[in-house]
């Protein structure tokens, strides 16, 4: 019995050593901050209307954009300059009416600066070298949250000659002003008022939501977090805002293994782009794909009457030639459970274009052989 027990003990130790020495499979884990966003912590869009001055004759043509002249007259009135309303029509080739847009980041405080985008709304050819006059930026509620002003930076170039020929690279009717707006008002946030927070997943997934709740409960105790649905996790936090910042930072730094992405094929019919997920599978199917080309050529012929015919007229007789050519169709076969690599390899071997691949995938989906969601954008 003692010898048998020793044999069992030795075999058990050997098995344990084998398990310990076996290579550990890497586990894909992401930070929680890369998977979720805190509800209520978001950026806000701002928009404003202003004038860009100092252009080199590339501004709005006031006859076709009268609002530019009206805006300049209203601005001059604020400085005590009045323009007679009779007989004078300013020609403002160096001024352009523009829209100014910006994103106000969360927790932005008065005095901080943000980047802005300036775009012409008239017929200005270019706003390169222009100066944006002071423009209030408003939110969706109509309140002013920032004030913009500064020199416009344009990445495009355009040039034209007197004969009408022109060359243009990129767009020169829009540009940006880095740090061109100063924040004037803080957007109220529920982060400092509510003790409970909701983490919204960037991509809804029940498995990921459950794993995030389990990881938080494992660190802070049961009942701290609960998954509301596949896209949100409610978390109970401290009431003190200073403690809440450090507490949320610790939660966002936790590693969580997200759920597997759904099998999905994304097709962009406009550009011919096809993206196939790694979990896409195809059942056993045979595909034949070929192209038919129809060519129609017109060669009209002139029919003239005889020299001594009475009342004859020269007419044009149509002569059409129609030819149909069919290129050799290629057939390839998928076995059951074919992976992404096999799909790409088979399509490349027959020389199918992205347009052909889109047609093949749509046909496989209709036949029930494509086990994935086909999304057309």
């Amino acid at each position: 019995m003692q010898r048998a027990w020793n044999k069992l003990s030795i075999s058990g130790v050997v098995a344990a050593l084998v398990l310990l020495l076996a290579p550990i499979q890497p586990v894909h884990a992401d930070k929680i901050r890369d998977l979720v966003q805190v509800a209520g912590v978001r950026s806000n869009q701002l928009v404003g209307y202003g004038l860009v001055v100092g252009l080199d004759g590339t501004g709005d043509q006031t006859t076709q954009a009268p609002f530019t002249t009206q805006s300049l007259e209203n601005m001059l009135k604020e400085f005590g300059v009045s323009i007679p309303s009779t007989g004078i029509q300013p020609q403002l080739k160096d001024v352009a009416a523009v829209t100014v847009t910006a994103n106000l980041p969360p927790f932005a405080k008065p005095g901080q600066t943000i980047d802005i985008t300036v775009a012409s709304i008239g017929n200005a050819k270019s706003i390169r070298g222009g100066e944006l006059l002071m423009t209030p930026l408003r939110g969706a509620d109509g309140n002013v949250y920032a004030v913009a002003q500064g020199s416009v930076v344009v990445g495009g170039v355009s040039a034209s000659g007197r004969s009408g020929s022109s060359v243009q690279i990129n767009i020169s009717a829009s540009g940006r002003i880095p740090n061109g707006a100063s924040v004037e008002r803080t957007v109220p946030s529920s982060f400092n008022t509510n003790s409970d927070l909701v983490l919204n997943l960037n991509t809804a997934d029940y498995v990921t939501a459950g794993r995030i709740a389990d990881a938080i409960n494992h660190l802070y105790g049961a009942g701290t977090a609960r998954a509301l649905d596949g896209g949100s996790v409610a978390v109970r936090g401290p009431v003190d805002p200073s403690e809440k910042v450090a507490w949320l930072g610790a939660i966002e730094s936790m590693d969580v293994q997200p759920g597997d992405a759904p099998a999905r094929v994304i097709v962009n019919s406009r550009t011919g782009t096809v993206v196939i997920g790694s979990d896409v599978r195809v059942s056993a199917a045979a595909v034949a794909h070929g192209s038919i080309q129809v060519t129609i050529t017109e060669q009209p012929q002139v029919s003239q009457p005889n020299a001594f015919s009475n009342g004859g007229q020269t007419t044009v007789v149509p002569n059409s030639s129609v030819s149909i050519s069919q290129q050799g169709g290629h057939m390839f076969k998928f076995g059951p459970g074919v992976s992404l690599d096999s799909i790409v390899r088979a399509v490349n071997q027959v020389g199918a274009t992205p347009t052909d691949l889109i047609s093949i995938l749509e046909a496989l989906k209709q036949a029930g052989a494509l086990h994935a969601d086909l999304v057309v954008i």
Side-chain angles (χ1 to χ4, degrees), residues 59-335:
D60 293 337
Q61 298 180 5
T62 54
T63 55
Q64 301 177 359
F67 48 84
T68 305
T69 303
Q70 182 181 359
S71 300
L72 183 63
E73 291 177 354
N74 294 337
M75 184 196 70
L76 293 177
K77 288 181 182 179
E78 297 293 332
F79 293 97
V81 179
S82 59
I83 298 178
S85 57
T86 57
I88 297 178
Q89 182 66 29
Q91 300 296 325
L92 308 177
K93 295 183 179 180
D94 298 338
V95 182
V98 295
T99 58
V100 184
T101 57
N103 285 329
L104 183 64
F107 309 121
K109 301 300 188 293
Q112 294 181 338
T113 57
I114 56 177
D115 298 340
I116 61 175
T117 301
V118 183
S120 172
I121 60 175
N123 51 12
K125 297 180 180 178
S126 174
I127 58 174
R128 172 182 292 274
E131 180 80 12
L132 175 68
L133 300 180
M134 186 174 61
T135 303
L137 302 181
R138 304 178 184 272
D141 55 359
N143 295 323
V144 177
Y145 288 91
V147 176
Q149 183 171 284
S151 300
V152 182
V153 178
V154 177
V157 178
S158 61
S160 60
R162 294 182 179 181
S163 62
S165 59
S166 62
V167 176
Q168 179 174 338
I169 301 176
N170 297 331
I171 302 298
S172 58
S174 63
R176 290 180 61 84
I177 304 180
N179 300 324
S182 177
V183 179
E184 301 294 334
R185 178 179 299 186
T186 303
V187 178
S189 175
S190 60
F191 180 79
N192 296 328
T193 57
N194 298 332
S195 59
D196 294 343
L197 295 178
V198 176
L199 306 180
N200 294 325
L201 274 69
N202 298 329
T203 302
D205 183 73
Y206 293 102
V207 176
T208 305
R211 290 177 179 176
I212 291 176
D214 293 340
I216 297 175
N217 290 331
H218 179 74
L219 182 62
Y220 291 99
T224 304
R226 59 188 179 92
L228 300 179
D229 48 36
S232 301
V233 177
V235 185
R236 292 189 304 169
V239 180
D240 189 357
S242 60
E243 297 179 358
K244 185 184 297 184
V245 172
W247 166 78
L248 185 58
I251 289 180
E252 289 187 338
S253 299
M254 297 173 60
D255 292 329
V256 171
Q257 182 181 0
D260 296 333
R264 187 171 295 168
V265 177
I266 309 298
V267 174
N268 190 330
S269 58
R270 297 183 299 273
T271 61
T273 304
V274 180
V275 179
I276 304 176
S278 60
D279 294 331
V280 175
R281 294 292 183 271
V282 177
S283 299
V287 180
H289 185 76
S291 58
I292 298 177
Q293 182 178 2
V294 179
T295 304
I296 302 176
T297 57
E298 297 287 348
Q299 296 178 352
Q301 297 180 354
V302 178
S303 176
Q304 295 182 350
N306 295 328
F308 299 100
S309 63
N310 295 327
Q313 296 181 355
T314 302
T315 59
V316 178
V317 179
N319 183 16
S320 300
S321 176
V322 180
S323 62
I324 299 178
S325 61
Q326 183 175 5
Q327 298 179 359
H330 302 280
M331 173 173 285
F332 48 92
K333 183 178 67 174
F334 294 128

